Amino acid sequence: MVAQIIDGKKISAEIKQEVAEEVKNLKKSGIQPGLATILVGDDPASHIYVKNKVKDCNEVGIYSEKIVLPKETTEGELISIIEELNVRNDIDGILVQLPLPSHIDEFEVIRAINPEKDVDGFHPINQGLMLIGKEALYPCTPAGIIEMLKRYNIEISGKNAVVIGRSNIVGKPAAVLLLKENATVTICHSRTKDLSEFTKNADILVVAVGRPKMITGDIIKEGAVVIDVGINRVDDKIVGDVDFDSASEVASYITPVPGGVGLVTRAMLLKNTLIAAKRRA
Ligand code: GUN
């Protein structure tokens, strides 16, 4: 089998087009969605991520405000800035780029964001609402994964979905959203014994571990749908957590890296900002 590629660029373009259309309509009624991004310190990768988010906002007509703070910023100072944004009428979404410098408690910072403006979907209120299947702002990468599956008409209900990785940002919420779509879900992680026993039974395999090319074709079920969340820099090239060449020989569908989940994650942030703005309107 030669896998069909799930084209993140195409899906991202579709989502952006849909968001742009809705933003245009909202503007007619006097509302422009707004996103504030906060960056603390000088991590080069984070600067690139935030720059891309600002560019994406411009493309779809969302107002964006980029706040760059020195790495010495205290937790209290950061939370004060968030509290100001929480009550501003022109800001619908607040995104604090992670990771934060080690002297700042990320949990306390996320908790300070008004849950209705938490477009990352990281606030415990949003995570809790998601867990019990209620409407909320869902984390962008897991929501993007579901979006990719649906836009390729890939059946989720009744399928064995295996998620490798249990982070609060990707693994755990991806498992929750797959369960919501009626998959039978298994979460594997660094302490899982005999990983291949699980991966070989996965109809849908989501890999979010941050280890380059860790999952190879020989441990993937014939015809599986493989979603690669990894973004690893190896010899100045970006590679995923899945060994694309061997995996694409056995999978039915596969997401490339780059050009897969990452682009759709970015588009989902715009969609969340639009959702937050519409709710406020
Ligand atoms: N750092 C890496 N991924 C993310 C993300 O999705 N949101 C934020 N805020 N920071 C990140």
Side-chain angles (χ1 to χ4, degrees):
M1 183 171 282
V2 177
Q4 190 182 332
I5 289 184
I6 300 180
D7 185 349
K9 197 170 170 184
K10 176 167 156 273
I11 296 171
S12 151
E14 284 171 14
I15 296 169
K16 280 176 162 176
Q17 169 78 40
E18 292 158 14
V19 170
E21 191 63 33
E22 286 207 54
V23 168
K24 208 167 88 187
N25 290 334
L26 266 182
K27 278 186 183 165
K28 282 181 196 152
S29 48
I31 294 151
Q32 181 177 26
L35 173 70
T37 54
I38 306 177
L39 181 53
V40 186
D42 36 38
D43 176 54
S46 291
H47 273 266
I48 293 171
Y49 289 139
V50 170
K51 194 174 127 211
N52 285 336
K53 286 164 188 172
V54 169
K55 177 171 150 267
D56 293 340
C57 284
N58 289 339
E59 271 178 46
V60 299
I62 292 177
Y63 167 73
S64 75
E65 193 163 307
K66 179 171 151 187
I67 299 164
V68 181
L69 302 169
K71 60 178 184 298
E72 300 79 20
T73 304
T74 66
E75 187 176 308
E77 285 165 346
L78 177 55
I79 288 176
S80 298
I81 290 166
I82 291 170
E83 284 168 350
E84 282 168 28
L85 294 166
N86 277 344
V87 295
R88 264 177 57 182
N89 274 330
D90 57 339
I91 295 297
D92 300 287
I94 302 168
L95 180 141
V96 180
Q97 186 65 29
L98 304 178
L100 289 168
S102 57
H103 65 276
I104 300 178
D105 184 338
E106 285 184 357
F107 178 71
E108 290 305 328
V109 170
I110 289 166
R111 203 157 65 154
I113 299 171
N114 176 351
E116 290 175 5
K117 296 190 177 189
D118 166 41
V119 284
D120 256 329
F122 295 166
H123 192 287
I125 293 262
N126 282 316
Q127 297 253 356
L129 287 169
M130 177 182 64
L131 185 64
I132 57 176
K134 299 291 181 191
E135 226 178 75
L137 291 165
Y138 292 166
C140 300
T141 300
I145 291 170
I146 301 295
E147 199 75 31
M148 293 174 103
L149 295 172
K150 288 190 173 170
R151 287 182 192 243
Y152 273 78
N153 293 316
I154 293 165
E155 178 90 29
I156 306 173
S157 180
K159 293 297 165 72
N160 286 336
V162 172
V163 179
I164 312 180
R166 55 174 159 178
S167 70
N168 291 332
I169 294 181
V170 183
K172 275 189 237 172
V176 170
L177 293 185
L178 287 161
L179 181 62
K180 187 164 180 278
E181 298 296 330
N182 301 310
T184 303
V185 182
T186 307
I187 305 178
C188 298
H189 46 78
S190 54
R191 306 285 173 88
T192 298
K193 295 202 171 95
D194 199 358
L195 183 67
S196 67
E197 198 174 303
F198 296 95
T199 58
K200 282 177 179 169
N201 275 312
D203 302 311
I204 299 171
L205 182 62
V206 176
V207 191
V209 286
R211 283 176 58 185
K213 300 189 184 187
M214 177 193 163
I215 301 299
T216 45
D218 56 314
I219 61 164
I220 294 173
K221 183 179 174 179
E222 184 80 30
V225 176
V226 178
I227 307 291
D228 187 353
V229 185
I231 300 178
N232 309 289
R233 189 173 288 277
V234 178
D235 302 330
D236 266 348
K237 261 183 71 183
I238 300 293
V239 299
D241 292 346
V242 174
D243 177 42
F244 184 86
D245 291 342
S246 62
S248 56
E249 283 173 17
V250 283
S252 58
Y253 290 90
I254 189 166
T255 64
V257 178
V261 175
L263 291 176
V264 180
T265 295
R266 280 168 57 182
M268 293 308 284
L269 176 67
L270 304 172
K271 194 163 172 176
N272 271 353
T273 306
L274 172 68
I275 290 170
K278 285 204 295 193
R279 289 214 189 115
R280 239 161 39 82

